[in-house]
Amino acid sequence: MPTRLPLVIRRCHACASARFRASGKFRVNANHKLLDAWLLVLCTGCGETAKLTLLERMNIRSFRPELLTRLHANDLGLTAELLQDPVVLRRNRVALDWDGAWRLDTGGTDHLDREVIDVSVRFTARIPVRPVRLIAEGCGLSRAEVERLIAEEKLVSAVRLRGKLAGDFSFTLKR
C-alpha cells in the first residue's frame, strides 16, 4: 500500500535535480469556453515549480463538473489518481519513482512456519514492484534465497516473478 505520493522523474530546468514532488495543487485556466488544467510539481533540489499538463483546450461543455470542483479544491486524492494515469505520464514524458513510497502489510508472521504457503498479493494502488522483493520481505527471506527457490521450482506462480508487476498475483511456496 502507498505511504506517500511518488516522486516525478523529470529534469529540472533550474538545477541538476531529476526529481519533483507533487504539491497537491492544480492550476486551471479558462479562455472563453476552453479550459486548461495542470498539476503543479516542485523540484526536490531547488523548489522550482513545473506544470504537468492534464487538459489542453477542452471545451467547458465536455468537462465533468465534479472534476472541476475537485481541481478547484486541490483534492489530494485526485492528485494520486492522476499521477497513476498512464495517459498523463505519457503526455508529459515523465515516470514515477516509488522508492520508499510504499509498505508491505503481511498481516502477521504466524504463517511462515508452515510447510506449504499459498499467498495472494493485493495492491491497493498500481505500484510497480519486483515480486522477488515482495516475497523476500514478506517471508523473511533474502532475495538470493527467493531466486534459488524459483530455480528449484519450490516457489511457483501463474505470473512471471522476475521483472516488475503492478497488479494482483498469487504464489505457492514449498519449503
Side-chain angles (χ1 to χ4, degrees), residues 22-27 38-41 54 71 74-76 79:
S23 68
K25 298 193 184 302
F26 297 95
R27 175 154 188 253
W38 300 274
L39 172 63
L40 302 178
V41 293
L54 304 175
L71 288 170
N74 291 322
D75 185 357
L76 200 55
T79 301

Side-chain angles (χ1 to χ4, degrees), residues 15-54:
C15 71
S17 177
R19 302 283 191 269
F20 284 78
R21 64 176 176 81
S23 68
K25 298 193 184 302
F26 297 95
R27 175 154 188 253
V28 180
N29 187 30
N31 185 2
H32 299 287
K33 293 185 180 189
L34 301 177
L35 286 177
D36 296 312
W38 300 274
L39 172 63
L40 302 178
V41 293
L42 304 171
C43 177
T44 57
C46 65
E48 184 74 20
T49 302
K51 298 185 291 188
L52 299 182
T53 302
L54 304 175

Side-chain angles (χ1 to χ4, degrees), residues 11-139:
R11 177 75 44 207
C12 179
H13 297 292
C15 71
S17 177
R19 302 283 191 269
F20 284 78
R21 64 176 176 81
S23 68
K25 298 193 184 302
F26 297 95
R27 175 154 188 253
V28 180
N29 187 30
N31 185 2
H32 299 287
K33 293 185 180 189
L34 301 177
L35 286 177
D36 296 312
W38 300 274
L39 172 63
L40 302 178
V41 293
L42 304 171
C43 177
T44 57
C46 65
E48 184 74 20
T49 302
K51 298 185 291 188
L52 299 182
T53 302
L54 304 175
L55 305 167
E56 281 186 306
R57 300 291 173 203
M58 190 171 188
N59 191 313
I60 190 77
R61 290 197 173 137
S62 62
F63 206 76
R64 294 188 337 254
E66 65 273 2
L67 179 61
L68 186 59
T69 302
R70 290 178 76 187
L71 288 170
H72 284 300
N74 291 322
D75 185 357
L76 200 55
L78 180 61
T79 301
E81 289 173 30
L82 292 172
L83 279 177
Q84 293 183 35
D85 186 354
V87 174
V88 171
L89 298 175
R90 195 173 351 166
R91 175 185 291 149
N92 291 284
R93 295 186 189 116
V94 297
L96 298 179
D97 179 5
W98 283 98
D99 287 345
W102 60 274
R103 71 176 172 85
L104 179 64
D105 183 15
T106 61
T109 59
D110 59 334
H111 61 280
L112 297 178
D113 57 345
R114 295 186 191 153
E115 195 66 29
V116 177
I117 304 170
D118 288 318
V119 178
S120 293
V121 178
R122 302 284 175 244
F123 287 78
T124 58
R126 294 189 50 78
I127 302 171
V129 178
R130 297 185 186 282
V132 170
R133 180 178 177 190
L134 280 180
I135 294 167
E137 284 184 30
C139 295

